[in-house]
mmCIF file of all heavy atoms in Angstrom:
data_model
loop_
_atom_site.group_PDB
_atom_site.id
_atom_site.type_symbol
_atom_site.label_atom_id
_atom_site.label_comp_id
_atom_site.label_asym_id
_atom_site.label_seq_id
_atom_site.Cartn_x
_atom_site.Cartn_y
_atom_site.Cartn_z
ATOM 1 N N MET F 1 -27.440 10.697 6.398
ATOM 2 C CA MET F 1 -26.061 11.133 6.428
ATOM 3 C C MET F 1 -25.950 12.540 5.886
ATOM 4 O O MET F 1 -26.682 12.926 4.993
ATOM 5 C CB MET F 1 -25.187 10.199 5.603
ATOM 6 C CG MET F 1 -24.998 8.849 6.239
ATOM 7 S SD MET F 1 -23.898 7.746 5.323
ATOM 8 C CE MET F 1 -22.626 8.802 4.801
ATOM 9 N N PRO F 3 -24.224 15.409 3.690
ATOM 10 C CA PRO F 3 -23.355 15.481 2.511
ATOM 11 C C PRO F 3 -22.043 16.165 2.882
ATOM 12 O O PRO F 3 -21.980 16.977 3.806
ATOM 13 C CB PRO F 3 -24.162 16.314 1.523
ATOM 14 C CG PRO F 3 -25.177 17.020 2.323
ATOM 15 C CD PRO F 3 -25.403 16.219 3.575
ATOM 16 N N THR F 7 -13.669 17.169 -1.756
ATOM 17 C CA THR F 7 -12.264 17.540 -1.615
ATOM 18 C C THR F 7 -11.831 17.576 -0.153
ATOM 19 O O THR F 7 -10.650 17.681 0.127
ATOM 20 C CB THR F 7 -11.977 18.906 -2.261
ATOM 21 O OG1 THR F 7 -12.785 19.901 -1.628
ATOM 22 C CG2 THR F 7 -12.259 18.869 -3.759
ATOM 23 N N PHE F 10 -12.038 12.866 4.783
ATOM 24 C CA PHE F 10 -13.162 12.214 5.432
ATOM 25 C C PHE F 10 -12.650 11.053 6.266
ATOM 26 O O PHE F 10 -12.024 10.136 5.747
ATOM 27 C CB PHE F 10 -14.160 11.698 4.386
ATOM 28 C CG PHE F 10 -15.345 11.000 4.984
ATOM 29 C CD1 PHE F 10 -16.328 11.721 5.639
ATOM 30 C CD2 PHE F 10 -15.472 9.623 4.912
ATOM 31 C CE1 PHE F 10 -17.428 11.089 6.189
ATOM 32 C CE2 PHE F 10 -16.562 8.972 5.459
ATOM 33 C CZ PHE F 10 -17.541 9.709 6.101
ATOM 34 N N ALA F 16 -20.089 8.315 12.477
ATOM 35 C CA ALA F 16 -20.302 8.209 11.034
ATOM 36 C C ALA F 16 -20.491 6.748 10.633
ATOM 37 O O ALA F 16 -21.335 6.431 9.783
ATOM 38 C CB ALA F 16 -19.118 8.813 10.282
ATOM 39 N N ALA F 18 -21.793 4.368 12.463
ATOM 40 C CA ALA F 18 -23.131 3.970 12.884
ATOM 41 C C ALA F 18 -24.175 4.461 11.879
ATOM 42 O O ALA F 18 -25.099 3.719 11.515
ATOM 43 C CB ALA F 18 -23.438 4.512 14.276
ATOM 44 N N GLY F 24 -27.054 0.957 5.464
ATOM 45 C CA GLY F 24 -26.839 -0.253 4.673
ATOM 46 C C GLY F 24 -25.415 -0.521 4.236
ATOM 47 O O GLY F 24 -25.147 -1.502 3.570
ATOM 48 N N PHE F 27 -18.772 -2.633 6.531
ATOM 49 C CA PHE F 27 -17.367 -2.323 6.727
ATOM 50 C C PHE F 27 -16.560 -3.607 6.831
ATOM 51 O O PHE F 27 -16.550 -4.273 7.851
ATOM 52 C CB PHE F 27 -17.170 -1.487 8.002
ATOM 53 C CG PHE F 27 -17.610 -0.074 7.838
ATOM 54 C CD1 PHE F 27 -18.917 0.288 8.086
ATOM 55 C CD2 PHE F 27 -16.727 0.897 7.409
ATOM 56 C CE1 PHE F 27 -19.341 1.585 7.921
ATOM 57 C CE2 PHE F 27 -17.129 2.196 7.242
ATOM 58 C CZ PHE F 27 -18.439 2.552 7.496
ATOM 59 N N GLU F 28 -15.907 -3.961 5.740
ATOM 60 C CA GLU F 28 -15.003 -5.096 5.733
ATOM 61 C C GLU F 28 -13.804 -4.708 4.896
ATOM 62 O O GLU F 28 -13.948 -4.338 3.733
ATOM 63 C CB GLU F 28 -15.675 -6.327 5.116
ATOM 64 C CG GLU F 28 -16.733 -6.937 5.997
ATOM 65 C CD GLU F 28 -17.253 -8.253 5.437
ATOM 66 O OE1 GLU F 28 -16.482 -8.976 4.788
ATOM 67 O OE2 GLU F 28 -18.440 -8.528 5.654
ATOM 68 N N PRO F 30 -10.690 -5.067 2.455
ATOM 69 C CA PRO F 30 -10.459 -6.034 1.385
ATOM 70 C C PRO F 30 -9.480 -7.108 1.850
ATOM 71 O O PRO F 30 -8.522 -6.821 2.554
ATOM 72 C CB PRO F 30 -9.883 -5.200 0.244
ATOM 73 C CG PRO F 30 -9.507 -3.898 0.833
ATOM 74 C CD PRO F 30 -10.254 -3.727 2.115
ATOM 75 N N SER F 31 -9.730 -8.334 1.471
ATOM 76 C CA SER F 31 -8.889 -9.433 1.930
ATOM 77 C C SER F 31 -7.515 -9.414 1.285
ATOM 78 O O SER F 31 -6.580 -10.005 1.812
ATOM 79 C CB SER F 31 -9.575 -10.761 1.633
ATOM 80 O OG SER F 31 -9.771 -10.891 0.242
ATOM 81 N N ALA F 33 -5.678 -6.665 0.747
ATOM 82 C CA ALA F 33 -4.874 -5.522 1.180
ATOM 83 C C ALA F 33 -3.828 -5.955 2.198
ATOM 84 O O ALA F 33 -4.118 -6.661 3.148
ATOM 85 C CB ALA F 33 -5.771 -4.451 1.784
ATOM 86 N N THR F 35 0.279 -4.502 3.685
ATOM 87 C CA THR F 35 1.432 -3.632 3.549
ATOM 88 C C THR F 35 2.681 -4.404 3.902
ATOM 89 O O THR F 35 2.642 -5.340 4.694
ATOM 90 C CB THR F 35 1.322 -2.394 4.467
ATOM 91 O OG1 THR F 35 1.242 -2.843 5.815
ATOM 92 C CG2 THR F 35 0.106 -1.555 4.116
ATOM 93 N N SER F 37 7.250 -3.829 3.941
ATOM 94 C CA SER F 37 8.373 -2.937 3.686
ATOM 95 C C SER F 37 9.181 -3.468 2.503
ATOM 96 O O SER F 37 9.068 -4.638 2.127
ATOM 97 C CB SER F 37 9.273 -2.858 4.920
ATOM 98 O OG SER F 37 9.959 -4.084 5.106
ATOM 99 N N GLU F 40 11.110 -6.521 3.387
ATOM 100 C CA GLU F 40 10.352 -7.773 3.330
ATOM 101 C C GLU F 40 10.133 -8.227 1.887
ATOM 102 O O GLU F 40 10.231 -9.408 1.581
ATOM 103 C CB GLU F 40 8.983 -7.613 3.993
ATOM 104 C CG GLU F 40 9.024 -7.421 5.477
ATOM 105 C CD GLU F 40 7.642 -7.144 6.038
ATOM 106 O OE1 GLU F 40 6.961 -6.218 5.546
ATOM 107 O OE2 GLU F 40 7.256 -7.867 6.959
ATOM 108 N N PHE F 42 11.809 -7.302 -1.038
ATOM 109 C CA PHE F 42 12.943 -7.500 -1.931
ATOM 110 C C PHE F 42 14.264 -7.763 -1.227
ATOM 111 O O PHE F 42 15.290 -7.864 -1.885
ATOM 112 C CB PHE F 42 13.107 -6.285 -2.855
ATOM 113 C CG PHE F 42 11.856 -5.948 -3.606
ATOM 114 C CD1 PHE F 42 11.160 -4.789 -3.338
ATOM 115 C CD2 PHE F 42 11.360 -6.804 -4.576
ATOM 116 C CE1 PHE F 42 9.998 -4.481 -4.029
ATOM 117 C CE2 PHE F 42 10.200 -6.506 -5.271
ATOM 118 C CZ PHE F 42 9.517 -5.343 -4.998
ATOM 119 N N SER F 51 16.325 -0.526 -7.092
ATOM 120 C CA SER F 51 16.475 -1.266 -8.349
ATOM 121 C C SER F 51 17.442 -2.434 -8.192
ATOM 122 O O SER F 51 17.205 -3.523 -8.721
ATOM 123 C CB SER F 51 16.978 -0.339 -9.462
ATOM 124 O OG SER F 51 16.016 0.641 -9.750
ATOM 125 N N SER F 65 14.249 -10.664 -16.088
ATOM 126 C CA SER F 65 13.832 -10.433 -17.466
ATOM 127 C C SER F 65 15.004 -10.057 -18.349
ATOM 128 O O SER F 65 14.851 -9.930 -19.552
ATOM 129 C CB SER F 65 12.786 -9.317 -17.512
ATOM 130 O OG SER F 65 13.371 -8.111 -17.071
ATOM 131 N N ARG F 70 16.636 0.883 -13.962
ATOM 132 C CA ARG F 70 16.841 2.293 -14.284
ATOM 133 C C ARG F 70 16.148 3.119 -13.227
ATOM 134 O O ARG F 70 15.412 2.621 -12.411
ATOM 135 C CB ARG F 70 16.320 2.620 -15.667
ATOM 136 C CG ARG F 70 14.867 2.304 -15.819
ATOM 137 C CD ARG F 70 14.430 2.463 -17.242
ATOM 138 N NE ARG F 70 13.013 2.086 -17.265
ATOM 139 C CZ ARG F 70 12.120 2.613 -18.044
ATOM 140 N NH1 ARG F 70 12.466 3.526 -18.906
ATOM 141 N NH2 ARG F 70 10.880 2.236 -17.982
#
Side-chain angles (χ1 to χ4, degrees):
M1 289 183 41
T7 60
F10 180 72
F27 286 88
E28 288 187 32
S31 61
T35 60
S37 70
E40 292 175 307
F42 306 112
S51 295
S65 64
R70 58 188 178 147

